[in-house]
Amino acid sequence: DAITLARYQALDLTITNKPDNTPVTDADKSAESAIRALLHEHCPEDGIVGEEFGTQGLENDRYWVIDPIDGTKEFIRQSKDFCVMIGICYKGEPVFGVINIPKTGEVFYGGEEFGISLKRHGEVINLPNVPLQDEKVLCSRSQRGQIILPYMTENGLTPLPCGSSGVKAC
């Protein structure tokens, strides 16, 4: 959180493209390096799958999945719609995850056996399961394309443009 916010506010990003032609910044790499270092310090036997630096230790029962800045395009644009996502898997199954939205100070966390909670302004709120009642659909701000928007319009759905997948999930 501190690394991503500091780089977000500094406006001095180095941006390159990955082999799939998506952007990556030095902030993505710095944040993942810091997260990996903390995990290695506190959970040295655990494996890690990371967005920027690949996989290590997947033969272990427990491994972490890291996306240090989900929504890099939004991060580069100075939007609030980016997040840090970290999850843990046990024997190949997701157990618990955390999505931190640095610009709003919101942290969503939970898992199947834990429920889902939101920490905002120091207050923890246990989120209930609620039925879908509205026909609004979160969609990519940058990748709506020629198929998604016409489909939504034809079916009476209201598109709500949003950045990262993690922010949409929250």
Side-chain angles (χ1 to χ4, degrees):
D1 190 25
I3 291 170
T4 56
L5 278 178
R7 298 310 303 266
Y8 179 91
Q9 294 163 347
L11 296 173
D12 66 345
L13 297 174
T14 299
I15 303 166
T16 57
N17 281 327
K18 297 183 201 178
D20 66 359
N21 209 31
T22 58
V24 62
T25 70
D26 52 337
D28 291 91
K29 294 176 181 178
S30 294
E32 184 168 322
S33 291
I35 294 166
R36 283 177 176 266
L38 283 169
L39 290 174
H40 185 69
E41 178 183 341
H42 296 286
C43 308
E45 302 299 318
D46 292 0
I48 296 176
V49 176
E51 175 86 8
E52 310 312 333
F53 297 115
T55 300
Q56 70 184 59
L58 277 187
E59 66 279 358
N60 301 338
D61 283 346
R62 195 170 56 202
Y63 61 89
W64 299 84
V65 180
I66 305 166
D67 190 347
I69 299 179
D70 181 61
T72 298
K73 290 178 185 177
E74 299 298 322
F75 181 81
I76 292 167
R77 287 186 194 119
Q78 294 283 296
S79 163
K80 66 176 178 34
D81 291 337
F82 69 91
C83 63
V84 178
M85 298 196 301
I86 302 174
I88 187 166
C89 296
Y90 182 72
K91 294 189 176 182
E93 295 295 321
V95 177
F96 195 83
V98 177
I99 300 175
N100 176 12
I101 307 174
K103 286 302 292 177
T104 65
E106 296 171 313
V107 179
F108 292 81
Y109 57 94
E112 189 172 343
E113 295 185 27
F114 303 96
I116 300 173
S117 298
L118 162 63
K119 184 176 181 182
R120 179 178 14 192
H121 308 300
E123 179 184 3
V124 175
I125 303 163
N126 294 319
L127 301 175
N129 288 330
V130 294
L132 298 176
Q133 299 172 6
D134 199 349
E135 296 181 339
K136 293 180 180 167
V137 177
L138 292 170
C139 63
S140 173
R141 179 173 286 124
S142 60
Q143 299 172 345
R144 289 180 272 178
Q146 298 298 318
I147 297 171
I148 296 170
L149 284 179
Y151 173 83
M152 292 172 76
T153 303
E154 290 169 13
N155 290 284
L157 303 170
T158 303
L160 295 174
C162 184
S164 88
S165 297
V167 173
K168 286 183 195 80
C170 293

